Amino acid sequence: MQIRDLPYPDPGDPDVRSGPRFLLWLGRNQLKGQLRSMSWGLLHQCSIAGLPPAVGLAVQAVVDRSGSRLAWSGGLIAVLGMLIALGDTMLHRTAVTNWITAAARVQQLLARRTAELGSALTRRVAAGEVVAVSTGDVEKIGWFVEALSRFAAAAAALVLICAGLLLYLPSLGILVTLAVPLLALAVLPLLPRATRRADLQREKAGKATELASDTVAGLRVLRGIGGEELFLGRYRRASQEVREAAVRSARMWSLISAIQVLLPGVLLISLVVYGAVLARDGRIDVGQLVTVYSAATLLLFPLRHFEEIAMAYSFSRPSAQRAVRVLSLRRTDRPSTVDAAPAGDLYDPVTGLMAPAGLFTAVVCGDPDEAGRLAERLGGHAQVNADTDADADKSERAPEAEGGARDSSDEDAEERSAPSVLLGGVPLDELPLDSARTAVLVQDKDPVLLSGTLRELLDVPSSGRVTAEEALTAAQCGDVLDSLAQASLATDGDPMATRITERGRSLSGGQRQRLALARSLVTDPEALVLDEPTSAVDSHTEARVAAGIKALRQGRTTVAFASSPLLLDLADRVVLVHRGTVVAVGGHRELLHTDPRYRAVVTRETDDEIAALTSRGATVTIEEIEERA
C-alpha cells in the first residue's frame, strides 16, 4: 500500500482483545511494507558496517605503502558511501510510508466505528477521549509501526556485524559479541517504570484535554454565570499536573538515554585498551585494531534503535489500548432479513407508542432523559456493548471501561432483550443498516453542525423531494441566512457559500438548532423523529417553525418530542408517555381538560397545585391553562 492509494478500500477487522494484540494485527497488515523497509534498512546498516573494514584496509595500505590497495580501498569507500545514501533515503521513505498508512488504517477504523455507533458512542466513551484517540494516539501507534522496521533492520545488522567480527578477529570479536546483548538489554529493567510514568502522563493529558474541550464548549454559559475563573483554575491545576508528570517521565527516559551512552563508552574504552595491548605485543595489526574499533563505534548507531523501539512501544501500547476501547464497541443489530425499508406506521412495542403513517405525532414525556432514550429507540439505534473474549488480557483493559461495564450491565441487558421498533410491521433491527437509517432519521436535542459552508452542510443524502430553500424556509432560517451573508464579504453576500465554524460556535443556540432542523428536513426520510426541535427559540419563532414542519412534512410520518403548547396544538395527535408507557392519546386541548398528568407537564404545574385544584373542585378554562403554559 502506497500513500497515493489511500484510503483503504477495506481497513479490515481488527483484533481488539488487547492493545498488544491490536498492534500485532496492525503489523501483520503492514507486513509487505515492513519487509520492504527492513530490506532498505539492512542495505543501509550493512553499508555502514562495511566502512570499518574498508578504512582498515586503507590504513594498512598506507602503513605498507601500497598505492594499488589504497586506491582499491578508496573506491570501496566511495561505493559504500553511495549505498549508504541510497539505503538511508529509501529506508526513510518506506518507514514514513508505513507510519502514514498505519495511522490512516487506524483512523479509518475509528471513523467507521464512530459512524456506525453515532450518538451512542459518547455514552460509552467521553468525547474528549475519542478526539485524543483519533489524533495523538493514532500518531503514536503509527510511530511504533514506523520504528519497528528500523529496529528489525538494526537487530539484523547487529547480528551480521558481530558474526563478521568473530570471523575477522576472534580475539576482539568475542569481547564485542558478549557486550552487545548486555548493552541492548541494560535498560530493560527500567522500561516498566518508564512505561507507567508515560501512561500517567498520557492519562493526565487526556483529562486536561477533556476539561479544556468542555470549558471551551461552555464558555458562553460560564461567562453568563461568572464561572470562567473557576474552570480556568481547574484547567491550570490539571495543566500543572500534566507538566509534573511529563517532567517525571522525561527524567526516566533521560536516565535510559544516559545509560545508552555510558555503557557503549565503557565498551569502547575497554576495546581500545585491550586492542592496544594486543597491537603492542604484535598479536594484531594496527589496521585490524582500527577496523574493530570503527565497527564497535558504528554499533552504537543500531543500538539506539533499541531505545527508540522501547519508547515507541511504551507510548503506543496505552494508545493502542484506548483505540481498542473504542473499536471494541459493537452494535447489537440482528442479521438483516429484509432487503428494503417498508412504509407504514412507526410502532414501539415497549412503550406502546404508535406514530401513524403520514401524520404529525407529538410525544410528551415528563422526563427529558426518557424522551431522549425513546427517540433513539424509534430510530433503531441499538444498544452498544464492548466485545468480550475469554482469552483477552484483562490486565490491559482500562479501569474506566471495566467500571463502566459493571455499572450499566443490567441496563444494557434490559435494552438488548427489548423487542425492536416496527416500521410497517417490520422490525427495524432486521433491516440493513443503510435502509433503516434512510427510513427513520432521528435528530438529537443537541445536534452537531460540521464545519464547512452552508451549502455543504445541506448537501446530504436525501430523497430529492425537498430542496434546501424549502427546508430553510420551513425551519425559519431567514435571520440565519442574513447573518451569514453579512459575516463574510468574500462570498459576495451568498449565505450558502459562507463557512460555518466548528460545531457552529459562531451562531446562537437557536440558529444552530434551526440549521440542523433544515438539514433533517432536506433528507426527507419516511419517518422523522425530532427531540425538542424548538427548545432554543422564542415562542413566536417556535410557532412558525412548528407550522413549517407540519406543512413541509405533509403526508410523511413525523414524531416530535416536545412539551410546548404551541407545537402540541399543531400536531395531528398527541401521545403522553409516563414512566415508560403510553397512558393517554388525543388532541392537545382534549388532553389538557381530561388528563391531569398531561396538564402538569405542559403547564408546569406542581403536584401541590394539582391537588389544590382537585380538592376545591375548581374548573379551569382552556385560556387559563394556556396562560399557565
Side-chain angles (χ1 to χ4, degrees):
M1 171 64 71
Q2 299 296 320
I3 296 176
R4 62 175 175 269
D5 300 324
L6 295 175
Y8 288 94
D10 179 12
D13 187 17
D15 187 342
V16 294
R17 288 176 290 177
S18 66
R21 290 175 188 265
F22 176 68
L23 291 175
L24 180 61
W25 173 86
L26 198 61
R28 288 200 304 268
N29 281 272
Q30 303 282 130
L31 186 58
K32 290 184 178 179
Q34 293 288 349
L35 292 176
R36 189 181 301 114
S37 183
M38 181 179 173
S39 299
W40 289 111
L42 275 175
L43 175 63
H44 177 236
Q45 299 281 358
C46 291
S47 298
I48 293 176
L51 283 176
V55 172
L57 291 174
V59 171
Q60 194 62 43
V62 172
V63 172
D64 297 340
R65 298 182 181 277
S66 174
S68 59
R69 281 190 294 157
L70 182 60
W72 186 86
S73 301
L76 179 59
I77 292 174
V79 171
L80 290 174
M82 289 187 290
L83 292 178
I84 290 172
L86 175 63
D88 193 21
T89 301
M90 296 306 299
L91 171 62
H92 180 75
R93 179 184 178 90
T94 54
V96 172
T97 298
N98 289 337
W99 182 342
I100 295 175
T101 52
R105 186 187 295 274
V106 178
Q107 284 182 326
Q108 278 188 250
L109 291 171
L110 291 171
R112 185 176 67 180
R113 184 67 68 231
T114 302
E116 177 187 338
L117 300 177
S119 61
L121 174 63
T122 53
R123 295 204 305 267
R124 291 291 187 178
V125 184
E129 184 170 348
V130 176
V131 173
V133 169
S134 61
T135 53
D137 286 334
V138 166
E139 183 179 353
K140 291 181 176 64
I141 293 172
W143 175 31
F144 173 73
V145 173
E146 182 264 348
L148 189 61
S149 56
R150 296 181 185 271
F151 166 73
L158 283 176
V159 172
L160 293 175
I161 292 173
C162 290
L165 288 178
L166 282 174
L167 296 175
Y168 178 71
L169 193 63
S171 57
L172 292 180
I174 292 176
L175 176 62
V176 175
T177 303
L178 293 177
V180 165
L182 296 178
L183 296 179
L185 302 177
V187 298
L188 196 60
L190 299 177
L191 289 181
R193 183 179 298 181
T195 301
R196 287 194 297 270
R197 292 189 180 185
D199 290 350
L200 180 61
Q201 176 194 351
R202 176 61 185 79
E203 178 185 351
K204 291 184 178 295
K207 291 180 179 178
T209 301
E210 184 175 346
L211 180 60
S213 177
D214 292 342
T215 302
V216 172
L219 190 58
R220 181 176 299 180
V221 177
L222 293 176
R223 285 176 175 171
I225 63 176
E228 289 177 86
E229 289 301 323
L230 174 63
F231 275 81
L232 287 175
R234 291 180 181 176
Y235 180 74
R236 290 190 191 99
R237 289 192 295 272
S239 178
Q240 290 302 313
E241 290 179 1
V242 174
R243 181 189 61 80
E244 292 172 1
V247 170
R248 295 183 71 247
S249 178
R251 286 174 179 169
M252 182 57 64
W253 287 111
S254 64
L255 176 60
I256 292 175
S257 298
I259 293 175
Q260 290 284 344
V261 173
L262 175 63
L263 294 183
V266 173
L267 169 63
L268 291 178
I269 293 174
S270 303
L271 188 64
V272 169
V273 172
Y274 182 55
V277 172
L278 295 179
R280 184 192 61 187
D281 296 341
R283 297 164 60 184
I284 62 173
D285 297 330
V286 175
Q288 291 177 317
L289 176 58
V290 172
T291 299
V292 175
Y293 175 79
S294 300
T297 303
L298 292 177
L299 281 175
L300 305 185
F301 179 70
L303 277 174
R304 290 191 176 276
H305 290 290
F306 282 76
E307 178 189 353
E308 181 187 11
I309 194 64
M311 291 184 64
Y313 179 75
S314 299
F315 281 98
S316 65
R317 185 188 59 80
S319 295
Q321 185 59 42
R322 279 183 289 272
V324 161
R325 185 184 176 192
V326 177
L327 296 175
S328 63
L329 298 177
R330 290 284 191 270
R331 299 184 54 82
T332 55
D333 295 333
R334 300 186 182 97
S336 300
T337 58
V338 183
D339 294 334
D345 300 337
L346 188 63
Y347 175 67
D348 178 24
V350 175
T351 60
L353 173 63
M354 167 72 75
L359 296 184
F360 183 12
T361 302
V363 182
V364 176
C365 292
D367 182 3
D369 294 334
E370 181 183 12
R373 291 193 295 269
L374 181 52
E376 290 184 353
R377 274 190 52 76
L378 290 178
H381 293 279
Q383 180 65 44
V384 179
N385 55 85
D387 285 347
T388 56
D389 193 295
D391 299 329
D393 185 2
K394 294 184 179 180
S395 63
E396 296 290 344
R397 294 180 182 172
E400 300 89 353
E402 292 180 356
R406 287 194 298 269
D407 293 341
S408 58
S409 58
D410 295 338
E411 180 182 347
D412 295 347
E414 182 179 350
E415 288 283 345
R416 289 192 293 272
S417 62
S420 170
V421 170
L422 306 179
L423 178 63
V426 177
L428 280 182
D429 59 9
E430 293 184 6
L431 294 174
L433 185 60
D434 292 342
S435 299
R437 292 294 169 267
T438 302
V440 184
L441 174 66
V442 179
Q443 177 176 303
D444 299 331
K445 65 179 63 178
D446 186 22
V448 175
L449 299 183
L450 303 178
S451 59
T453 65
L454 180 56
R455 184 174 290 106
E456 292 170 342
L457 175 69
L458 300 178
D459 184 16
V460 293
S462 64
S463 66
R465 287 186 291 263
V466 178
T467 66
E469 290 73 16
E470 292 173 337
L472 290 168
T473 301
Q476 301 299 311
C477 294
D479 62 317
V480 184
L481 297 178
D482 293 339
S483 64
L484 290 176
Q486 297 172 6
S488 178
L489 300 176
T491 60
D492 296 328
D494 181 8
M496 301 297 291
T498 303
R499 291 194 64 81
I500 298 174
T501 57
E502 180 188 3
R503 300 180 67 91
R505 289 197 171 102
S506 59
L507 304 173
S508 67
Q511 290 174 327
R512 289 196 299 270
Q513 190 175 59
R514 281 176 285 158
L515 284 180
L517 175 60
R519 179 178 58 188
S520 299
L521 293 174
V522 165
T523 62
D524 190 37
E526 179 67 30
L528 176 60
V529 180
L530 305 172
D531 189 4
E532 295 289 353
T534 58
S535 59
V537 300
D538 60 78
S539 57
H540 298 290
T541 306
E542 182 179 30
R544 295 195 298 269
V545 169
I549 295 173
K550 183 174 182 179
L552 189 64
R553 294 282 301 170
Q554 193 71 36
R556 312 287 279 172
T557 306
T558 306
V559 181
F561 288 83
S563 58
S564 167
L566 295 172
L567 189 148
L568 298 173
D569 198 34
L570 289 173
D572 297 320
R573 64 199 303 269
V574 179
V575 178
L576 174 63
V577 177
H578 181 67
R579 295 183 179 178
T581 305
V582 172
V583 295
V585 180
H588 168 58
R589 294 173 181 266
E590 174 192 352
L591 292 177
L592 280 175
H593 282 295
T594 60
D595 196 299
R597 289 171 297 190
Y598 179 82
R599 185 168 63 247
V601 175
V602 174
T603 64
R604 278 69 168 177
E605 287 180 348
T606 64
D607 293 338
D608 293 338
E609 289 175 333
I610 295 174
L613 288 172
T614 305
S615 64
R616 295 200 309 267
T619 60
V620 185
T621 66
I622 190 67
E623 289 77 12
E624 291 173 332
I625 291 174
E626 290 180 345
E627 273 187 22
R628 290 175 181 270

